[in-house]
Amino acid sequence: MFKLSPLSKMVKLSLVSGLALTAASTSAFAEEGDKVENVERIAVVGSRAAPRSVNDSPVPIDIIGGDELGRNGATDMLDMLASTVPSFNVRAQPISDAATLIRPVNLRGLPSDSTLLLLNGKRRHRASVIAFQGGGVNDGAQGPDISVIPSVALQQVEVLRDGAAAQYGSDAIAGVMNFVLKDDSEGGSISVKTGEYYEGDGAATIIDGNIGLPLTENGFINASFQLKNADATSRSVQRPDAAAIKAAGNTSIEDPAQIWGNPEIKDDYTIFVNSGIDLDENTKVYAFGNVSSRDVTGGFYYRNPHNRGNVFSVDGGETLLVGAVNGDQSSCATVPANVGNVLSTPEYAAMLADPNCFSMNQLKPGGYTPLFGGSIEDMSFAAGVKGEMSGWMYDVSAVMGNNKATFNLKNSLNPSLGLASPTDFETGAYEQSETTVGLDLVKAIDFGMANLVNVATGLEWREESFEITAGEESSWVAGPYADQGFNIGSHGFKGFGPESAGKNSRNNIAAYLDLETFVNDNFLLGTALRYEDFSTFGSTLDYKVTAQYQLNEEFSVRGSHSTGFRAPTVGQANVVNTQTSIVGGDLIQTFIAPPTNPLAAFYGGKELTPEESTSFAFGGVYDNDGLLITVDYYTIEVTGRLAQSSQISVEAEDYTALEAAGVQNPELISAVTYYSNDFDTTTQGIDLVANYETEFMGADTMVSLAYNWTDTNVDKFNPATTNEGKVRRLEDGIPAHRATLTFAPSWDKVNLTVRGNFYGEYYATHADDTSEWGSEVAGAAMTLDAEVSYSVTDSLILSVGANNLFDQEAEKLKDSYAELGGVYYESGPFDYNGGYYYMKAQYKF
């Protein structure tokens, strides 16, 4: 059996574990100038039948092949990863503002912006969307948009489940995910997949393809594309309030008035290109990037035509809000709204007869449910040169990335404009741009120790900007009736005004040094040190220590300790928005402000500072005769944790002081929220991964078990900005126990994949409402996924399958939440839409 030398293993591990990943495709040296096997071939396992965890790494790593990712019914990368990495979680996002457009994720119980995303080993830019309603753990997170990456473009995905800020910088507190693009210079594939939910909705069609082409005799161009469309889903019942108004004679009520379900996705396309060429034996030039776009439309909350505050009423639905053209509301009739159908009352008829008086019922007699949509455009380009010079392996690179979300709102109103209000609005845009320039160096050096020391070092410069573009005037303007109690701006998602528009930037520089060596044949020791300086809040110095000891040929123990940080994003420090949330069953209009904004500062907002973290991990690896088992315990302490505050009520007694501070119309703002560093957490957990290769009925078979236990405790929080409900969501909002068991036999023409998924108990909430009225502990559940593929010819493969094969039902809402027209808790860990079946045809050439 081939056995790596201590040096080869040392170089391999330093690259795979992230100590010098950017140089991972270059060759290492057993002795200076003597080339050995290509490190990437040693470190990266591309076969889907191979173990997913690297057994000789001092930190836990999952390696998932691109083909393995595609073997389920998921329509985007997020759900594909959630089905293969138990500590990776993502959920559906109905009625969640911008989080509906780009769903947030979490790894090891931490928010999406605590996991660093790499593409071909290079830092990937974050998304422009900030998850204001991200499901507790992700509230306020601004992570990258993973969903734009299609599985057809991937050779594999590497998930480093360990704190790595000392190696890569900000965002790597929970770990690192590296998406490796295909680099074939020949061949390719094209496939069509279609499916829908058992309920008969959510039909989706995906067409994707990949082709590899030679670039002269010494290079390659590998291109991939994906086209996707997905219909919306609905898991709703008619709201009792809407049903009652309709029964009383209002014929303008929709049924259902409000929809809980997946958004509609249209014109979703993405193109990825990867290329490289060897200039000579020691120098290679490479370039890769993507262009992606999609349109997403989702639902919002129903606006009741009798009682929606500052639109139809200002006294909770006792009387209708009636405006006066001449400004004298006392001259208009008082219209009772606490009736079956306000439109049929004589008082309403009298109001209509008076040309000086009006109500928004004239435009929306049945109330309305806004449709929130957006166009997401994403692009990136990376280029560099790497090779060998004077014994050093070098990699010089530059990466540019941009993500823009342009928002729109349909079927809504700007009530302050009165009957002149339009119903559709372009509300503005967020745009995130990043540029990174880096130099990475790797060399094995003789320091007179038992073995050579692998040295990795480098420099990095990065600039990041976040820009807000104003929406059309009608989406933000305070119309002539704002002083009469009518809401300002497009209702549900106020447009960004000129005072909010603008571009904010920052830059930082970093330097790192990594050392790793075998102290003896069985003991690997490594360390990393990183210095980073930001233009906005100063510098930080972090370290990491890793070790692995081989007890015998089958068993080794490993561990790591590191410090880390996560810098607040430019977007989090400067974002402005208006969102509608539910608290105790009531709709609350909340203004999201920068922490230094006069409104936020009045209620305790302060300049943001980076999070600080300390991580410990230890575990063991058993590898013998086709059986690989890894078990790792981890604990992550985060101090000054950054998140969106709870809603802080704007009190009537503060109106005068707020106006003096420059806040306009504070009486129309129910609550404010902002970013703060006001709590500390400790997250601990266990990852267990077991893979066994065997034969089953003449088939090469892989049996895989992956289990995760995660527990988060909020050690300290500020009650002024973080309420008890938010604390509970952070601690219990995702299942503490999660497991997958996969059985995958492969015959000559038939491949079968059966995967069981277990989800433990969790704290269930609906629509971000953490009040006792709308939450409870949800029970454990299991789902089963299955796919069978048949090779008609060597080129043509047909597949059929289903996710949630037996249509396991999600946790149903308490009776109280039927008032909002929902059926299931949308905060659940698996798709509340139920079973999904699909068919796929793939042609390889």
Side-chain angles (χ1 to χ4, degrees), residues 672-743:
V672 63
T673 180
Y674 53 84
Y675 287 89
S676 64
N677 298 91
D678 280 349
F679 65 100
D680 304 338
T681 62
T682 299
T683 299
Q684 61 177 334
I686 294 174
D687 287 330
L688 166 65
V689 177
N691 296 284
Y692 181 60
E693 298 178 68
T694 186
E695 277 200 11
F696 174 77
M697 297 180 63
D700 294 329
T701 302
M702 171 65 75
V703 181
S704 302
L705 171 67
Y707 164 79
N708 169 258
W709 167 70
T710 297
D711 176 75
T712 295
N713 184 70
V714 176
D715 305 317
K716 183 179 71 175
F717 69 95
N718 181 355
T721 58
T722 306
N723 61 35
E724 293 284 353
K726 186 177 182 68
V727 168
R728 190 171 182 190
R729 289 198 79 180
L730 288 167
E731 293 183 334
D732 303 319
I734 59 177
H737 300 277
R738 167 96 189 279
T740 63
L741 178 62
T742 304
F743 175 71

Side-chain angles (χ1 to χ4, degrees), residues 303 309-312 321 358-361 363-364 368 370 409-427 471-497 589 665 668:
R303 271 63 179 173
N310 302 109
V311 181
F312 298 110
L321 174 57
F358 69 91
S359 78
M360 301 313 293
N361 304 69
L363 292 180
K364 297 292 183 181
Y368 58 100
L409 195 65
K410 298 178 180 179
N411 194 37
S412 185
L413 297 168
N414 180 343
S416 70
L417 293 174
L419 299 183
S421 172
T423 57
D424 296 344
F425 303 88
E426 296 295 329
T427 55
E472 62 182 350
E473 184 179 26
S474 61
S475 72
W476 52 263
V477 70
Y481 305 107
D483 293 337
Q484 297 184 30
F486 288 94
N487 187 83
I488 296 173
S490 46
H491 197 242
F493 192 95
K494 182 184 177 184
F496 309 132
Q589 196 87 350
N665 299 103
L668 298 180

Side-chain angles (χ1 to χ4, degrees), residues 521-533:
D521 288 349
N522 298 315
F523 184 34
L524 172 69
L525 185 65
T527 185
L529 191 67
R530 186 183 186 94
Y531 171 82
E532 199 143 346
D533 183 72

Side-chain angles (χ1 to χ4, degrees), residues 40 50 56 122 132 163 195 217 250 264 321 323 420 477 479 528 603 682 715:
E40 188 174 28
D56 50 0
K122 306 302 180 186
F132 301 119
E217 295 182 354
N250 189 325
E264 179 187 40
L321 174 57
V477 70
Y603 289 105
T682 299
D715 305 317

Side-chain angles (χ1 to χ4, degrees), residues 513-673:
L513 174 66
D514 300 329
L515 304 174
E516 193 171 55
T517 189
F518 277 88
V519 178
N520 56 44
D521 288 349
N522 298 315
F523 184 34
L524 172 69
L525 185 65
T527 185
L529 191 67
R530 186 183 186 94
Y531 171 82
E532 199 143 346
D533 183 72
F534 289 80
S535 60
T536 49
F537 46 74
S539 61
T540 180
L541 181 66
D542 293 280
Y543 65 86
K544 182 172 184 176
V545 178
T546 60
Q548 184 177 37
Y549 188 79
Q550 193 77 33
L551 297 174
N552 53 46
E553 289 187 2
E554 293 85 24
F555 187 66
S556 65
V557 291
R558 62 189 182 186
S560 67
H561 165 56
S562 64
T563 62
F565 72 101
R566 181 173 75 85
T569 72
V570 180
Q572 290 169 333
N574 298 281
V575 70
V576 174
N577 202 350
T578 301
Q579 73 179 55
T580 303
S581 304
I582 290 184
V583 177
D586 297 322
L587 291 182
I588 301 296
Q589 196 87 350
T590 304
F591 181 61
I592 302 171
T596 54
N597 175 276
L599 178 60
F602 184 88
Y603 289 105
K606 300 176 183 177
E607 192 77 41
L608 299 178
T609 60
E611 296 176 348
E612 302 289 340
S613 68
T614 303
S615 300
F616 293 90
F618 65 87
V621 180
Y622 178 80
D623 184 14
N624 182 39
D625 195 23
L627 176 63
L628 172 65
I629 302 174
T630 67
V631 182
D632 295 277
Y633 168 82
Y634 59 89
T635 178
I636 308 168
E637 297 180 4
V638 184
T639 58
R641 185 161 163 175
L642 183 71
Q644 184 182 354
S645 72
S646 301
Q647 290 92 353
I648 302 171
S649 297
V650 176
E651 305 293 345
E653 59 265 26
D654 297 332
Y655 291 166
T656 301
L658 288 169
E659 287 178 341
V663 179
Q664 294 183 343
N665 299 103
E667 69 279 1
L668 298 180
I669 303 173
S670 301
V672 63
T673 180

